Amino acid sequence: MKRIYIMRHGKAEWTRDDMEDFDRPLKPRGRKAAAFMGSLLAVHQEIPELIISSTARRAKETTEALLEAVENRIDVTYEDGLYMPQISHMVNLLRGLDASVDSVMLIGHNPACEQLVAHLVSQGDLQMYLPTCGLVCLDADIDTWMDVDSESARMKWFLVPKLFMKKHT
């Protein structure tokens, strides 16, 4: 059994004329939500062994806030290819994981995060909306990461920080 967590980055600032999309920072609300999601993972002992994060600023800041909340107990790799990726690239990242890794979290962007969830749990007909800092947990009944593919996982849970956090805090 392998566990896959898929998280969309936190709420980011809108692009200014002088700023590239890649460089958009998190809003304070996005940092707070990422830290909150990290604290939920810690409390429920749902700590992945590895995080693979997009190198875009908002994804890196999401990763950093989450790591702080779990007291930096997770190894992290930053992957340029998680910014605007093809689903095949994300699946290949998973397939390339060492067999000793049992759980991984991908922190990235929509629509790729939503599409990856749909790909892993169905043949693509699943329609879902993954809001900022939304986190999906999938269990894949596989022995090796090379076996991850369409319909190889089932959704265990799906958390949205907005449902748990006080509004306007």
Side-chain angles (χ1 to χ4, degrees):
M1 174 85 69
K2 302 292 185 184
R3 179 157 288 171
I4 306 163
Y5 301 90
I6 300 170
M7 184 176 198
R8 183 178 172 197
H9 63 77
K11 187 74 169 171
E13 297 287 346
W14 288 104
T15 305
R16 298 185 316 251
D17 289 340
D18 64 338
M19 183 183 294
E20 295 292 325
D21 179 68
F22 186 85
D23 298 321
R24 291 171 49 209
L26 288 183
K27 288 185 171 191
R29 154 180 149 187
R31 275 187 219 87
K32 187 173 184 177
F36 178 78
M37 295 305 274
S39 67
L40 279 179
L41 291 173
V43 165
H44 295 284
Q45 299 179 358
E46 288 277 349
I47 310 273
E49 295 169 57
L50 173 66
I51 291 175
I52 304 173
S53 173
S54 162
T55 54
R57 182 175 175 183
R58 59 193 177 273
K60 285 175 112 176
E61 289 179 1
T62 298
T63 301
E64 291 163 5
L66 187 140
L67 282 173
E68 218 173 283
V70 299
E71 300 173 347
N72 296 306
R73 297 184 298 184
I74 308 171
D75 290 331
V76 178
T77 300
Y78 292 97
E79 167 65 35
D80 290 330
L82 282 181
Y83 179 70
M84 308 250 191
Q86 297 294 318
I87 297 308
S88 60
H89 178 72
M90 296 173 86
V91 170
N92 285 334
L93 277 176
L94 293 171
R95 287 180 179 157
L97 290 173
D98 189 88
S100 65
V101 174
D102 288 322
S103 61
V104 64
M105 177 183 285
L106 300 179
I107 299 180
H109 311 268
N110 272 352
C113 286
E114 294 169 343
Q115 292 168 348
L116 181 61
V117 171
H119 176 78
L120 294 175
V121 302
S122 71
Q123 288 190 329
D125 56 352
L126 174 70
Q127 296 293 313
M128 68 171 300
Y129 173 67
L130 186 61
T132 54
C133 262
L135 177 59
V136 177
C137 176
L138 306 176
D139 280 340
D141 192 17
I142 55 176
D143 294 320
T144 173
W145 288 107
M146 284 302 295
D147 295 331
V148 74
D149 205 351
S150 179
E151 296 188 273
S152 63
R154 68 182 183 347
M155 191 178 303
K156 182 171 170 119
W157 47 257
F158 176 20
L159 298 175
V160 178
K162 207 176 210 181
L163 296 176
F164 298 96
M165 298 173 69
K166 283 186 175 180
K167 195 169 180 136
H168 308 296
T169 56

